[in-house]
Structure formats: structure tokens, C-alpha cells
Amino acid sequence: ERLIAEHGRDLHAFLWGVLRNHDQAAEAFQATCRKVLEVGHTARPDTLRGWLFRVGLNEALGLKRRAGTE
């Protein structure tokens, strides 16, 4: 929760920049939050911000791929 509280606004802006769609950015943000709650404890403390943005990027790219196949 602390990680999202500290970096959530920047992460959401980053996801919007990647996806250029508010609904998809919100969906990727939620998926990223889920991952943080599930496996965030496994990330190294000194790289948490980078890990968070990498997870967000992976979620955003996954959405783009799925949208492209539909």
C-alpha cells in the first residue's frame, strides 16, 4: 500500500503515456496494484520503484497485445 501511495500518481501518468487511453490506463493500474499485493514482497527494497514501473509496463503492453488480437 505504501508503494502505491508514494508512486501511484506517477505510475498512472506513466501508464496513460504508454496507452493513451484513460480506461486502459486505469485497468493496467489496477492490474499492477494486484501484482504489488500478490508478489510485491519479493522485490528488492532498493529497486521497488523500478520494479513497480516495470510491472506496470508489462501490464500495459499485455493490454495492448490483447486489444490488437481482438
Side-chain angles (χ1 to χ4, degrees), residues 20-66:
R20 297 291 182 193
N21 178 295
H22 290 290
D23 293 334
Q24 287 182 334
E27 187 175 341
F29 183 80
Q30 289 302 316
T32 303
C33 290
R34 254 192 319 278
K35 289 273 186 173
V36 167
L37 292 174
E38 292 171 0
V39 296
H41 64 280
T42 64
R44 291 188 357 224
D46 57 327
T47 62
L48 279 175
R49 180 178 165 89
W51 178 85
L52 175 67
F53 278 73
R54 172 55 65 183
V55 170
L57 179 61
N58 289 342
E59 293 296 331
L61 295 177
L63 278 173
K64 280 183 134 178
R65 277 192 300 275
R66 285 190 296 276

